[in-house]
Amino acid sequence: MNEEQKLNQFQARIDADEKIEPRDWMPDGYRKTLIRQMSQHAHSEVIGMQPEGNWVLRAPSLRAKKILLAKIQDEGGHGLYLYSATETLGIDRTEMIEQLQQGNAKYSSVFNYPTLNWADIGAIGWLVDGAAIVNQTMLAKCSYGPYSRAMLRICKEEGFHQRQGYEIMGKMMTGTQAQREMAQDAMNRWWWPALMMFGPHDSESAHSQESMKWKIKVESNDKLRQRFVNRTVEQAHHIGLTVPDPLLSYNKETLNWSFGPINWDEFWSIVKGNGPCNEQRMSHHIKYHNEGAWVREAALAFEENLTKKQTVSI
Amino acid sequence: MEKDNQFPQWEVFIQIKNGTPHEHAGSVHASDKKMALQNARDIYTRRNEGRSLWVVKTDDIAATSAEEEAEFFDPAEDKIYRTPNFYKMPKGSTNI
Amino acid sequence: MNTKDALIKYCTRLADNNLILGQRLAEWCSRGPILEEDLAMTNISLDLFGEAESIYEYISTLTDNHLSADDIAFLRSEREYSNTLLVELPNGDFAYTMAKQFLYASFAKLLYTSLLNSNDETLKGLSEKALKEVKYHIRHSSEWLIRFGNGTSESKTRVQNALNDIWKYTDDMFEMDEVDNELISTGIAFDLKDIYTQWNFSVSEILKEAKLTKPSNGLSIKGGYKGIHTEHLGHILTEMQYLQRAHPGAKW
């Protein structure tokens, strides 16, 4: 079979909604796109541990402490599932981490904002995880088997993430004046970054078309963003939070909440590394990765010493 | 410094309930067997999903390739005499 | 001292041990030597917070002052915490943390095992649950000690230095006073001297396997159960109690 026949056969499988598995033939572009997107997704989960970790020692109750710690742990676990799924494409985790630390791989820009009060933990769970779930539910239907399976597991586990965030916000909105102010402040700072998580408008999105053809994405950025807005605006109003968008209005014909323009300059500036926490997140990652190097060396040396000993005794 | 390492990869199989088979859950990285089992426990059974775990180094798994699919599996397609419904039982016979 | 007061004090020591060690371990969040280990440490931290919460809830039922588990956990001053000193020590490097974990978990396992014979049904029940968790904590930390002792010369040096440094705080775990005497006489708790003998034995076995030297008993620093702490505890509390202190009476 020549390349073109292979490509046609591949596209036919995609069109028939078959899943592609690691050992199947796939075009280079498909593999590369998946590696880029999946490793970025994995890095996002791992870097996402930092802004939430910023509050784990200050959580205000034993219950809150346990929930937050378990949630951050889930993020780490999800990073791990995604690294494993990406490894099936022929890249190992060492290399992915190198790419991240050298700035050749990205992670979600939303984690480059600081967490400044306890309500930020609520806002991250409710808005950031809420946006992520909309995206991940779509990705669970993607054509690459290992990615789709990882997403299914992640969606199942993240069921509680958004709810715990909304619960924090709801509790604070029925609390003291100071608590209500903190909740609204967090809402004001996280609303727009959450909308940006869906990426540029479809008309501006560099990778969208090909990804749709290959069913790496099955719905467009704008459609997913709208779904998130529709769900979330009503949740915000329900607990008395104001959405920080003067142009927000309900469109009775389309049944959608229409919203004001997104500040794409801010988005691209953060993507390019100029966000408030880009440097901090990366230097944290590098510092603790390097500090763990002797541990990893020791563990491997132990295993080698053990194997040597066993070989000698035979 | 030498190139960093993230430990070899292992595949994790979990038995969720007594009497059911061990099923593939995902992978972990670990430097030795004991660590692989513990990491599998900490990563794949956080929600009370397990009662028995197997781990095996990913490199030690042999697998068929997509190109081998036809010659491996298609020949089984026309052996329907391996299924019970292939056979006509005498009218009125029971318990068979 | 009457039995009830003694029981409250005893339980507070146990709960504080869990809370403060859990808090220390949570500091590792996003800082582990490898992602898998980050998750493993979080699991242990979650076990410890869970144990702490159950014991504070029990204490809450024993007192007449209407304090909730959270009030007890978050609103006391340094002198009112009665955890053993070892659990409040800073984490140091990963070897230091694992050495702390191992030495404490080995103690906790024996303590909970003894409490399976307690006359106090709640304490007995809590111990049954905690015992399963703490056995896993020993497995996790002891295997790291064995890896380090038989790994590279750097790892061996690091873990040996950690043990040498921590050792002076280990006697504190086995301190006894009128609280213990009262509970021993009523069959609720047991003599820590016996536990010390067993602890010494089981720790020595692992150190042997790890080819590490058991530090000699020299300097010994004590006082945790009486609220005489290291300077580190105050800083742990400052961070942990921040929201509770800044917004008195607020519900979260």
Side-chain angles (χ1 to χ4, degrees):
Chain A
M1 237 193 294
N2 65 28
E3 281 296 300
E4 198 189 328
Q5 286 169 318
K6 281 183 185 169
L7 197 61
N8 289 339
Q9 198 183 49
F10 176 81
Q11 191 60 48
R13 291 187 64 196
I14 300 270
D15 294 341
D17 282 332
E18 275 186 42
K19 297 285 182 214
I20 307 300
E21 294 298 333
R23 301 167 77 90
D24 297 350
W25 184 89
M26 61 185 85
D28 266 358
Y30 182 80
R31 187 186 297 274
K32 278 187 191 138
T33 304
L34 278 172
I35 289 177
R36 195 194 68 242
Q37 185 179 325
M38 290 166 71
S39 66
Q40 176 173 335
H41 199 157
H43 298 322
S44 301
E45 299 279 357
V46 170
I47 297 295
M49 297 169 80
Q50 290 183 37
E52 290 184 288
N54 184 35
W55 280 90
V56 77
L57 300 175
R58 292 178 288 174
S61 70
L62 291 165
R63 179 176 183 271
K65 201 183 272 298
K66 287 194 297 183
I67 292 171
L68 180 57
L69 201 51
K71 178 182 185 288
I72 302 172
Q73 186 192 39
D74 274 354
E75 312 296 2
H78 298 165
L80 207 143
Y81 303 162
L82 284 160
Y83 281 130
S84 304
T86 317
E87 281 176 300
T88 62
L89 291 160
I91 180 170
D92 66 24
R93 198 162 86 187
T94 304
E95 199 178 336
M96 286 187 263
I97 291 175
E98 259 173 33
Q99 288 180 351
L100 172 71
Q101 297 189 343
Q102 290 165 2
N104 298 325
K106 301 216 176 302
Y107 58 89
S108 178
S109 284
V110 78
F111 299 119
N112 290 319
Y113 292 93
T115 48
L116 301 178
N117 79 51
W118 174 250
D120 287 34
I121 297 307
I124 289 187
W126 173 44
L127 300 174
V128 175
D129 284 71
I133 288 165
V134 171
N135 196 34
Q136 286 167 176
T137 309
M138 178 269 292
L139 288 170
K141 296 176 209 142
C142 84
S143 61
Y144 188 55
Y147 196 20
S148 154
R149 289 192 287 275
M151 279 297 126
L152 276 178
R153 195 181 180 99
I154 290 172
C155 287
K156 207 171 96 193
E157 295 191 351
E158 289 206 346
F160 90 84
H161 292 189
Q162 195 185 10
R163 292 174 70 111
Q164 65 87 31
Y166 190 55
E167 186 191 82
I168 289 175
M169 296 304 259
K171 267 193 194 163
M172 290 181 76
M173 286 306 286
T174 56
T176 64
Q177 175 69 20
Q179 283 178 302
R180 286 197 298 279
E181 282 168 12
M182 280 189 253
Q184 185 61 54
D185 173 47
M187 175 79 186
N188 296 348
R189 285 181 288 109
W190 289 96
W191 172 255
W192 290 108
L195 295 199
M196 292 177 199
M197 283 173 70
F198 295 95
H201 288 306
D202 300 341
S203 50
E204 313 276 321
S205 181
H207 307 289
S208 262
Q209 238 179 353
E210 199 164 54
S211 290
M212 299 279 277
K213 186 181 84 186
W214 282 332
K215 294 192 183 160
I216 293 172
K217 284 175 70 154
V218 297
E219 287 179 288
S220 75
N221 294 354
D222 285 325
K223 196 171 165 194
L224 294 168
R225 182 166 21 237
Q226 186 65 57
R227 183 175 302 152
F228 171 73
V229 170
N230 288 353
R231 281 182 195 176
T232 314
V233 166
E234 277 155 36
Q235 290 163 2
H237 292 163
H238 185 67
I239 55 173
L241 282 168
T242 306
V243 179
D245 178 358
L247 298 176
L248 188 79
S249 66
Y250 189 67
N251 185 326
K252 280 187 185 138
E253 277 165 31
T254 61
L255 306 181
N256 285 326
W257 283 91
S258 56
F259 47 93
I262 291 170
N263 183 348
W264 292 113
D265 291 342
E266 178 179 318
F267 175 77
W268 288 116
S269 156
I270 295 177
V271 170
K272 288 181 185 126
N274 304 319
C277 297
N278 293 58
E279 279 185 18
Q280 180 190 333
R281 301 288 182 244
M282 207 38 57
S283 60
H284 177 109
H285 192 271
I286 293 169
K287 176 178 185 323
Y288 293 104
H289 177 77
N290 291 345
E291 281 184 13
W294 72 266
V295 177
R296 298 189 293 274
E297 273 165 34
L300 280 182
F302 169 73
E303 172 65 6
E304 273 165 31
N305 295 342
L306 207 66
T307 320
K308 247 184 257 162
K309 225 186 273 168
Q310 280 164 351
T311 322
V312 171
S313 66
I314 293 166
Chain B
M1 207 179 87
E2 274 182 61
K3 194 172 157 61
D4 182 52
N5 74 81
Q6 290 284 309
F7 298 160
Q9 187 169 314
W10 304 67
E11 297 305 318
V12 178
F13 299 83
I14 303 180
Q15 185 190 39
I16 294 170
K17 269 198 311 206
N18 171 256
T20 60
H22 285 69
E23 287 181 20
H24 186 240
S27 340
V28 291
H29 289 227
S31 59
D32 56 62
K33 286 179 194 172
K34 285 180 178 176
M35 193 195 290
L37 276 174
Q38 289 181 32
N39 288 349
R41 178 257 193 195
D42 283 320
I43 287 146
Y44 290 102
T45 68
R46 303 201 295 286
R47 287 172 166 78
N48 202 15
E49 294 115 322
R51 53 166 293 137
S52 167
L53 278 173
W54 293 347
V55 290
V56 57
K57 265 197 182 158
T58 307
D59 284 348
D60 290 340
I61 293 182
T64 57
S65 69
E67 289 75 44
E68 290 163 325
E69 187 178 331
E71 68 182 90
F72 262 77
F73 308 111
D74 288 358
E77 265 174 20
D78 62 353
K79 312 273 192 308
I80 53 167
Y81 45 81
R82 288 187 196 276
T83 60
N85 291 342
F86 179 74
Y87 302 91
K88 276 206 183 95
M89 294 293 98
K91 231 179 194 160
S93 51
T94 53
N95 292 329
I96 183 159
Chain C
M1 181 172 285
N2 70 40
T3 309
K4 194 172 148 190
D5 287 346
L7 182 58
I8 291 170
K9 287 213 152 100
Y10 186 85
C11 287
T12 309
R13 293 171 185 179
L14 202 51
D16 289 348
N17 281 347
N18 282 301
L19 176 67
I20 301 300
L21 190 60
Q23 181 81 357
R24 275 293 188 217
L25 263 189
E27 290 176 18
W28 274 100
C29 187
S30 83
R31 294 169 171 84
I34 189 162
L35 193 48
E36 279 80 354
E37 192 53 38
D38 222 298
L39 274 77
M41 282 192 282
T42 312
N43 266 350
I44 297 172
S45 181
L46 282 169
D47 285 345
L48 295 169
F49 286 136
E51 287 166 25
E53 192 174 21
S54 309
I55 307 169
Y56 287 129
E57 273 162 8
Y58 181 42
I59 297 169
S60 173
T61 65
L62 294 171
T63 53
D64 315 318
N65 51 17
H66 307 293
L67 293 177
S68 69
D70 277 336
D71 294 336
I72 306 171
F74 286 90
L75 292 175
R76 286 172 296 149
S77 67
E78 275 138 287
R79 294 279 283 110
E80 292 168 301
Y81 281 78
S82 50
N83 56 279
T84 193
L85 300 176
L86 185 146
V87 299
E88 70 198 44
L89 298 178
N91 283 336
D93 62 11
F94 186 67
Y96 199 96
T97 297
M98 284 304 111
K100 270 198 300 179
Q101 284 302 118
F102 171 67
L103 296 172
Y104 175 75
S106 302
F107 161 75
K109 179 192 157 193
L110 296 165
L111 186 72
Y112 289 130
T113 306
S114 76
L115 291 173
L116 295 179
N117 295 313
S118 173
N119 283 337
D120 186 288
E121 286 302 316
T122 310
L123 209 47
K124 190 171 147 182
L126 290 169
S127 300
E128 266 172 41
K129 179 172 176 292
L131 196 53
K132 287 184 208 161
E133 296 174 343
V134 86
K135 279 182 182 168
Y136 190 82
H137 303 171
I138 296 180
R139 177 189 296 265
H140 174 259
S141 53
S142 65
E143 282 173 11
W144 273 113
L145 257 53
I146 292 166
R147 282 184 200 107
F148 290 151
N150 300 283
T152 60
S153 61
E154 179 179 7
S155 67
K156 189 173 178 137
T157 309
R158 281 179 186 260
V159 74
Q160 186 65 58
N161 287 346
L163 286 167
N164 296 348
D165 192 66
I166 298 166
W167 203 256
K168 55 183 164 294
Y169 298 100
T170 53
D171 283 344
D172 188 51
M173 296 189 285
F174 305 97
E175 278 292 280
M176 291 204 290
D177 59 13
E178 65 279 9
V179 170
D180 299 83
N181 296 336
E182 172 62 25
L183 296 186
I184 291 168
S185 73
T186 47
I188 292 175
F190 302 91
D191 198 325
L192 293 176
K193 283 199 284 295
D194 299 336
I195 290 180
Y196 176 73
T197 314
Q198 298 170 54
W199 178 84
N200 216 353
F201 177 77
S202 60
V203 166
S204 302
E205 289 294 295
I206 294 292
L207 294 187
K208 232 181 272 169
E209 205 182 333
K211 301 208 179 66
L212 295 167
T213 312
K214 195 166 100 174
S216 51
N217 293 332
L219 176 63
S220 168
I221 300 174
K222 298 180 221 171
Y225 295 152
K226 294 203 174 307
I228 306 293
H229 292 280
T230 66
E231 290 182 348
H232 305 297
L233 183 71
H235 296 276
I236 297 177
L237 300 182
T238 303
E239 190 165 39
M240 189 175 79
Q241 299 179 339
Y242 158 65
L243 280 167
Q244 292 267 354
R245 297 276 191 201
H247 302 273
K251 298 272 171 266
W252 302 93

